[in-house]
Amino acid sequence: MFRNLAMSLVLVAGFATSSLAQCNCSECNQQGSFFDRACSSEWKPDFSGSDRACEGDPCEAFVGGHYFSAFGGFVDIDNYERTLDNGPNTNLDGAKLHDDFAWGAAVGRQVHPHGRAEFEFTFRENDVSSWFEQEFDNTGAMTSNNVLAATGTLTSYSGMFNFLFDLYDRQIGRPGMYLGGGIGAIYVDADFATAANAYESVDTSFAYQLIGGFNLPMSDRVDLFTEFRYLGADYLTVDNLTTSQSMGDFTIDTHNIFFGARFRR
């Protein structure tokens, strides 16, 4: 699945790159100090003030700027689970979680007319709905499925370094798509219990994510955006407090839809 997704992203990025508008500084007002919508991608920031400067080759003369973004939205967390080989059979157990909301912020820099790098922090909190224990035979058929009522909360904090590619020339009022990905870490603090057992998960794991979104410049310095982020992590330990045993590494997969605003310096 991930191989097909990666190929799709490469094809989309290649098509978008080949269709990008060419810079032509002759269309800009050489002496003007106002932001020209038609030439937005051809102006570079002048940090001494709000003016813009147009140069002979704006593609080569691009100067990046910093930005801050804040966002929030919906998070769907797949099962917080582990997989164990049991001879010819496979056991799968873990916690099912309710969908909930998340919020976060990022600081970054436009390092290229179509490239950005940022550090992002996101907070998520999901209630536990049940604990499940499943078994599958060597053909993949389920042979048992035990679901137990459970209570508790899983709270996570992720810090990610993201790299994003804008598939368009930025223009006010014109939406454009962007793609990217990131690596970092996620910290989980969870306590949940069934009628028979209590569980705890307090651990940090390497995390990775894929990003796709749409950006809408509202002004010279303000963008609105909506995006999808898939974030996963594979090495989060869960302890059974009732038996005083570690259950090993669990995985977590989150599907996020965020809405936010980006403020450019």
Side-chain angles (χ1 to χ4, degrees), residues 153-170:
T153 302
L154 185 148
T155 303
S156 66
Y157 309 85
S158 60
M160 307 294 293
F161 291 98
N162 302 320
F163 301 92
L164 303 130
F165 180 69
D166 297 315
L167 307 180
Y168 61 97
D169 285 332
R170 184 177 184 272

Side-chain angles (χ1 to χ4, degrees), residues 20-265:
L20 290 174
Q22 298 298 312
C23 295
N24 182 2
C25 197
S26 63
E27 297 178 2
C28 295
N29 179 358
Q30 294 282 349
Q31 305 300 322
S33 61
F34 296 100
F35 186 81
D36 188 332
R37 178 180 300 182
C39 297
S40 59
S41 65
E42 303 172 20
W43 296 79
K44 69 173 186 176
D46 176 3
F47 295 117
S48 64
S50 60
D51 292 350
R52 299 275 162 166
C54 188
E55 301 194 1
D57 188 351
C59 292
E60 298 297 330
F62 175 79
V63 176
H66 293 87
Y67 65 82
F68 169 81
S69 63
F71 54 85
F74 172 82
V75 54
D76 168 31
I77 297 185
D78 286 346
N79 300 335
Y80 191 52
E81 63 188 24
R82 67 170 181 174
T83 302
L84 297 174
D85 291 328
N86 183 19
N89 298 331
T90 300
N91 293 100
L92 186 68
D93 58 2
K96 290 183 179 293
L97 299 152
H98 289 295
D99 301 336
D100 214 319
F101 295 96
W103 59 267
V107 291
R109 180 175 176 82
Q110 191 86 35
V111 296
H112 180 271
H114 301 287
R116 293 182 279 123
E118 67 179 26
F119 174 77
E120 163 230 331
F121 173 84
T122 303
F123 167 82
R124 301 172 178 87
E125 186 172 78
N126 296 77
D127 292 331
V128 176
S129 63
S130 62
W131 178 268
F132 67 93
E133 298 170 348
Q134 300 172 339
E135 186 173 73
F136 301 84
D137 62 22
N138 55 9
T139 68
M142 182 183 295
T143 57
S144 68
N145 183 24
N146 186 27
V147 179
L148 305 172
T151 59
T153 302
L154 185 148
T155 303
S156 66
Y157 309 85
S158 60
M160 307 294 293
F161 291 98
N162 302 320
F163 301 92
L164 303 130
F165 180 69
D166 297 315
L167 307 180
Y168 61 97
D169 285 332
R170 184 177 184 272
Q171 293 185 15
I172 296 175
R174 177 183 174 184
M177 184 179 181
Y178 58 91
L179 300 173
I183 57 174
I186 185 171
Y187 171 77
V188 167
D189 186 354
D191 291 286
F192 43 96
T194 64
N197 292 284
Y199 304 93
E200 181 182 67
S201 181
V202 181
D203 199 9
T204 301
S205 171
F206 170 78
Y208 47 90
Q209 69 178 355
L210 297 175
I211 304 169
F214 286 90
N215 191 64
L216 178 62
M218 301 300 293
S219 71
D220 180 5
R221 300 182 183 276
V222 179
D223 300 340
L224 300 181
F225 64 89
T226 180
E227 65 184 22
F228 169 82
R229 297 192 182 205
Y230 164 82
L231 182 143
D234 300 323
Y235 305 104
L236 293 161
T237 301
V238 174
D239 296 320
N240 187 321
L241 300 181
T242 304
T243 62
S244 300
Q245 294 180 335
S246 173
M247 301 183 66
D249 290 329
F250 278 54
T251 64
I252 189 171
D253 297 282
T254 75
H255 305 272
N256 312 266
I257 297 177
F258 291 138
F259 302 89
R262 185 176 298 109
F263 306 93
R264 297 174 181 268
R265 178 178 172 183

